[in-house]
């Protein structure tokens, strides 16, 4: 086993990104150390991550005070994006050597559009343009949710050369929609005379949340099953998320081996890699590195939350795993359907729940900023 399994993943063709950001990570030199020691190649953020970073500590208080003195009339949303852009820009600078070494494929930092724009195509496009210009770094990715309204936004932004992280992906059908939008955006850009070189995108396919929901349904079926049928139901627990991911990867291989993409690739385009998201284990009965070890395959990214990152670094194993057992993965999904579990409906629910959760975090974050600002006014 590699002395550092994270380095081992890089050797197998998988890029590891860190699913967290705060100002301490940047100021302490920790991010730079992770790049040097662990082969870290990117950073992702979302409203929940920023909520935890700003609400859970006082490390942003001084910066808030400086902003307030300079422009006290800003809204809480404007305060947040001022802070977030500072952090994203700083992380992008630290990751710039990775970006250059990887020929503009890794070294990326992701910043999400406001969650309340998840069902607003034009609003998402406008905000993505604004954030991309504000950060003003070539290695920033703007996160767009993979909702119905998000798909045309992805196409338009890619056509403008804006890097996009398409997030909250759960189903194979929606993944296909996202990949096609990426290809249409590239084609539109090529036909308008724009360069495809360096235009980057990932499709963030969520994993552990699928097991959290489907396992609940399987437990119900387990309780209802006849004694002789229980073992086959029990065997499906903790398998559906990874099976779903395996089939998504097969779709990736098909899409980016097709002639439609080969033409774009010859013009400088890169593949839109699958990024495994929600890879922290939520069920304590499962291995704490289950969604890292089971999702290793070349030409993918795994964005790992802090606790899981440290666990994998301590005792994880790096070996290619995801390309195996494709027929078994299909059988798992078919078995779930035979049990009367409507997987497409469940995955649609996860998308809706994900949008709602990010909006809740964003609203809570803005309330926290407003509270901090009121406290500062009282002190001064």
């Amino acid at each position: 086993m590699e002395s550092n399994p994270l380095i081992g993943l890089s050797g197998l063709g998988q890029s590891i990104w860190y699913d967290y950001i705060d100002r301490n990570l940047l100021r302490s030199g920790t991010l730079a150390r992770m790049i040097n020691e662990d082969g870290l190649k990117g950073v992702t953020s979302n409203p929940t991550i920023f909520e935890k970073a700003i609400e859970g500590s006082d490390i942003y208080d001084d910066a808030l005070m400086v902003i307030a003195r300079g422009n006290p009339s800003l809204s809480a949303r404007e305060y947040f994006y001022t802070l977030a852009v500072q952090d994203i820009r700083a992380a992008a600078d630290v990751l710039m050597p990775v970006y250059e070494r990887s020929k503009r494929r890794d070294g990326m930092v992701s910043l999400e559009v406001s969650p309340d724009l998840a069902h607003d195509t034009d609003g998402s496009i406008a905000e993505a343009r604004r954030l991309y210009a504000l950060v003003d770094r070539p290695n920033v990715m703007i996160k767009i949710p993979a909702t119905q309204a998000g798909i045309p936004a992805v196409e338009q932004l890619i056509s403008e050369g804006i890097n996009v992280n398409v997030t909250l992906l759960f189903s194979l059908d929606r993944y296909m929609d996202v990949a096609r939008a990426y290809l249409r955006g590239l084609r539109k850009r090529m036909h308008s005379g724009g360069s495809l070189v360096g235009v980057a995108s990932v499709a963030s396919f969520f994993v552990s949340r699928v097991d959290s929901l489907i396992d609940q349904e399987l437990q119900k079926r387990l309780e209802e099953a006849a004694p002789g049928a229980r073992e086959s139901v029990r065997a499906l627990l903790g398998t559906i998320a990874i099976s779903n991911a395996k089939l998504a990867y097969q779709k990736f291989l098909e899409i980016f081996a097709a002639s439609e993409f080969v033409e774009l690739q010859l013009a400088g385009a890169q593949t839109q890699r699958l990024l495994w998201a929600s890879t922290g284990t939520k069920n304590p009965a499962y291995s704490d590195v289950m969604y890292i070890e089971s999702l290793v395959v070349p030409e993918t990214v795994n964005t790992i939350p802090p606790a899981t990152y440290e666990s994998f670094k301590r005792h994880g194993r790096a070996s290619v795993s995801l390309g195996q057992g494709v027929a078994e993965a299909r059988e798992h999904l078919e078995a779930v359907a035979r049990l009367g579990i409507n997987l497409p409906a469940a995955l649609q629910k996860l998308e809706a729940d994900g949008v709602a959760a990010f909006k809740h975090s964003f609203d809570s974050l803005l309330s926290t900023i407003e509270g901090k600002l009121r406290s500062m006014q009282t002190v001064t």
Side-chain angles (χ1 to χ4, degrees), residues 102-377:
S102 66
K103 298 181 180 178
R104 294 183 274 187
R105 192 159 174 76
D106 280 306
M108 295 288 180
V109 189
S110 296
L111 176 62
E112 190 154 351
V113 297
S114 303
D116 50 12
L117 296 173
H119 303 294
D120 181 347
T121 300
D122 292 340
S124 294
I125 292 169
E127 175 140 310
R129 289 169 176 158
R130 183 181 70 84
L131 293 176
Y132 195 72
L134 274 175
V135 177
D136 192 26
R137 297 293 187 274
N139 55 330
V140 65
M141 276 186 166
I142 304 302
K143 290 179 86 170
I144 301 288
T147 57
Q148 287 286 3
I151 302 303
V154 171
E155 177 181 343
Q156 181 59 34
L157 294 169
I158 290 298
S159 77
E160 296 177 16
I162 294 175
N163 305 320
V164 181
N165 178 337
V166 193
T167 189
L168 288 175
L169 260 170
F170 295 94
S171 76
L172 298 180
D173 287 345
R174 189 55 59 85
Y175 167 59
M176 296 288 285
D177 291 341
V178 165
R180 292 185 187 112
Y182 175 65
L183 295 176
R184 287 195 302 270
L186 289 176
R187 197 160 49 247
K188 187 184 296 184
R189 182 168 178 80
M190 183 174 70
H191 290 163
S192 67
S195 173
L196 303 188
V197 176
V199 180
S201 181
V202 292
S204 291
F205 203 83
F206 280 51
V207 188
S208 67
R209 295 187 195 185
V210 174
D211 277 339
S212 295
L213 181 59
I214 300 304
D215 277 2
Q216 291 177 22
E217 295 301 316
L218 289 171
Q219 287 290 356
K220 294 176 187 175
R221 303 307 191 277
L222 192 58
E223 292 166 7
E224 298 165 355
R230 287 175 186 163
E231 193 53 42
S232 62
V233 177
R234 187 178 290 110
L236 291 170
L237 291 168
T239 68
I240 303 307
I242 292 166
S243 295
N244 198 38
K246 284 184 178 183
L247 298 185
Y249 185 68
Q250 294 305 304
K251 293 295 184 184
F252 163 81
L253 293 176
E254 293 170 16
I255 292 165
F256 291 99
S259 58
E260 180 184 8
F261 176 69
V262 171
E263 178 191 4
L264 296 167
Q265 191 173 36
L266 291 172
Q270 56 180 263
T271 57
Q272 181 192 52
R273 289 178 294 175
L274 277 161
L275 177 150
W276 311 123
S278 181
T279 53
T281 304
K282 295 175 174 58
N283 188 335
Y286 301 154
S287 163
D288 58 354
V289 293
M290 169 180 173
Y291 299 108
I292 313 302
E293 292 183 341
S294 300
L295 295 168
V296 183
V297 70
E299 282 287 291
T300 58
V301 180
N302 197 321
T303 188
I304 309 179
T308 308
Y309 187 97
E310 292 303 322
S311 293
F312 187 80
K313 188 174 179 178
R314 284 195 306 271
H315 61 79
R317 292 174 299 174
S319 61
V320 172
S321 56
L322 193 71
Q324 304 161 5
V326 175
E328 184 182 33
R330 289 197 179 93
E331 171 55 29
H332 286 160
L333 300 193
E334 290 167 3
V336 162
R338 288 195 296 270
L339 289 170
I341 298 173
N342 187 335
L343 186 59
L347 298 179
Q348 182 59 46
K349 180 181 186 303
L350 285 171
E351 178 190 301
D353 289 350
V355 170
F358 281 165
K359 186 176 187 310
H360 176 77
S361 292
F362 193 67
D363 292 343
S364 176
L365 168 61
L366 298 184
S367 296
T368 295
I369 290 174
E370 289 169 351
K372 284 179 179 283
L373 291 170
R374 283 194 298 269
S375 298
M376 290 174 190
Q377 290 167 358

